[in-house]
Amino acid sequence: MEILWVLMALVMFGFVLLPFLRRRRGMIEQVPAGHPDAADPADYGFARTEELDVRMPGPDQDLLDVLDVVQRTQDYRAAQQLLAGTETEGELRWQRVQAFAGSASLELQQRPGGVGDLPGGQWLRVWRTEAPKDAGGAAVHAEFLVQQAWRTSTPGTDEFRIIMEEARDACGQAALLAPGDPVPYIVELSVARGLGYSQAEFEQLWLRILDRAPAHMGAHLAALHYWCEKWHGSRETAMSFAEAAAARAPQGSLLAAMPLFAVFEHLPEVNLVRGFYQSEVVTKAVHGALFAVHAARPDDPMLAHVRHLLVFFLVRAERWAEAMNQLVHVDGHVGALPWTLSPDPAAEFAVYRALAVAGYEANGGSPASLPQ
């Protein structure tokens, strides 16, 4: 009889625990309100999954046009011209440097080259050779090396360290070519994380960025990684950094959303608390991000990044209408957290979008009732 009671207890414990184990970071296996197949995202004018652009979080047609020209012709001059005309202190320059570096890195991965065959991304090498004093090319090259280190090697290995040290030298060269540009120092934040700068060294680097662009959201997100528990800080340090950034955020700045990114970086791999996404700490961070989105300029280049992360948290919190309001603004582009952590960002985004639509309709929503 005692064995029977033990077996019954184990079965009951399994029924209680299983739903929580399924609520892992980055995936949802059950639909709290309605099934996603019961609603069609196309009814809301949303793009088909295969049409979702995984290259960037939101639209930047000038960048897309230039990337197309560079990739088709292998001529760097269009990229050089675009960066030369992009504001130095703004978020857009940083995003475009990342995009050009990522394009060259991906091309090299797809076409490593061989006998009689030029490697992919050759246009970046030509850019650095023909215009060694060009600040834009130097910044793209530094970011390219950083992306190569993370993409092709493992942190802690000699190969990783060698590439990162080369990237650090490239950051220094880029900084000399454009003393007022924060981008070379922002690139170095990733180097600092990979090479394990001491906190004193990191703080010195961070002060150089604050001197040039104190409200730079992209820089703050890059710095947040260093202070996270999985790298060189802790959950408390990362949250303190994010909350301090939010507290000093100027009017209209998206820095007020920083705590939400800190929460995301420390999500448990397995969530055993049913109401975690409705908890006080998550709710407070979500409200801060919603406030930041409401107060930000519509053309802020970082706005899409915050909206994408809000979609993740609002769906998890079953706040369907609010999630739909964010989806209306970002649908079509998925090159942002949290989707980029998935091997298939478009598919991951599509799952959350379907959940939002299903939950929205299960609670009386329809395409006609959704504000555009």
Side-chain angles (χ1 to χ4, degrees):
M1 179 63 70
E2 289 182 354
I3 294 177
L4 180 60
W5 279 109
V6 169
L7 290 174
M8 290 178 64
L10 288 173
V11 170
M12 293 300 294
F13 181 73
F15 277 116
V16 172
L17 187 60
L18 184 59
F20 299 133
L21 291 177
R22 286 179 172 171
R23 295 185 175 211
R24 297 177 61 86
R25 170 177 171 172
M27 69 177 185
I28 294 180
E29 296 186 20
Q30 293 181 331
V31 185
H35 193 279
D37 291 340
D40 187 358
D43 293 341
Y44 295 82
F46 292 149
R48 296 196 299 269
T49 303
E50 60 272 20
E51 295 174 341
L52 295 170
D53 192 328
V54 302
R55 294 171 294 180
M56 55 190 67
D60 183 349
Q61 194 59 48
D62 289 340
L63 175 60
L64 288 178
D65 292 342
V66 169
L67 279 172
D68 179 65
V69 169
V70 171
Q71 291 169 344
R72 180 164 38 83
T73 66
Q74 290 296 295
D75 188 334
Y76 68 87
R77 285 174 292 185
Q80 180 185 35
Q81 184 178 5
L82 182 65
L83 282 183
T86 304
E87 181 187 9
T88 300
E89 295 81 10
E91 306 281 355
L92 198 58
R93 182 178 178 84
W94 168 230
Q95 291 191 17
R96 287 174 172 176
V97 165
Q98 288 182 297
F100 287 132
S103 176
S105 180
L106 185 59
E107 285 182 39
L108 181 59
Q109 181 182 19
Q110 294 171 341
R111 302 194 312 276
V115 178
D117 182 25
L118 290 175
Q122 185 67 17
W123 55 269
L124 179 55
R125 296 178 181 83
V126 175
W127 188 355
R128 294 297 295 132
T129 301
E130 293 187 354
K133 301 299 183 182
D134 181 67
V140 172
H141 180 238
E143 173 65 15
F144 166 80
L145 290 170
V146 167
Q147 293 195 27
Q148 281 294 99
W150 293 110
R151 190 190 298 271
T152 64
S153 56
T154 304
T157 63
D158 287 342
E159 181 186 6
F160 181 84
R161 178 183 54 78
I162 290 169
I163 301 175
M164 277 297 189
E165 288 179 349
E166 186 180 356
R168 178 169 58 189
D169 292 341
C171 289
Q173 295 170 17
L176 289 174
L177 292 171
D181 188 352
V183 168
Y185 299 103
I186 299 173
V187 176
E188 193 178 350
L189 290 173
S190 187
V191 177
R193 177 163 53 98
L195 292 181
Y197 282 22
S198 69
Q199 292 191 5
E201 291 173 319
F202 188 88
E203 289 286 5
Q204 289 178 354
L205 173 60
W206 183 238
L207 287 175
R208 295 190 185 101
I209 295 171
L210 292 181
D211 285 343
R212 291 160 176 82
H216 199 290
M217 178 74 171
H220 280 79
L221 291 177
L224 177 65
H225 289 301
Y226 177 91
W227 295 115
C228 284
E229 188 174 60
K230 59 189 174 185
W231 287 105
H232 308 293
S234 65
R235 183 189 304 265
E236 293 74 23
T237 305
M239 186 57 72
S240 295
F241 174 81
E243 289 177 343
R248 66 171 182 269
Q251 179 67 30
S253 169
L254 286 165
L255 287 177
M258 283 297 298
L260 188 64
F261 286 87
V263 170
F264 177 77
E265 290 295 334
H266 294 89
L267 287 178
E269 286 298 320
V270 178
N271 176 28
L272 299 179
V273 181
R274 180 178 291 274
F276 174 78
Y277 288 93
Q278 293 90 19
S279 65
E280 181 180 356
V281 63
V282 174
T283 300
K284 181 180 178 182
V286 167
H287 287 168
L290 287 170
F291 169 81
V293 165
H294 178 74
R297 301 189 329 269
D299 62 345
D300 191 313
M302 295 302 295
L303 185 55
H305 287 273
V306 181
R307 290 191 187 278
H308 278 290
L309 197 61
L310 274 170
V311 169
F312 172 88
F313 277 98
L314 291 170
V315 167
R316 288 285 187 149
E318 301 177 16
R319 295 166 65 167
W320 313 114
E322 291 169 291
M324 291 293 286
N325 286 335
Q326 300 305 318
L327 282 167
V328 167
H329 293 283
V330 298
D331 189 74
H333 299 83
V334 295
L337 287 175
W339 328 121
T340 50
L341 297 178
S342 168
D344 190 344
E348 185 79 358
F349 173 83
V351 168
Y352 276 78
R353 185 178 62 183
L355 290 166
V357 170
Y360 182 64
E361 294 192 352
N363 286 275
S366 70
S369 63
L370 181 65
Q372 297 296 321

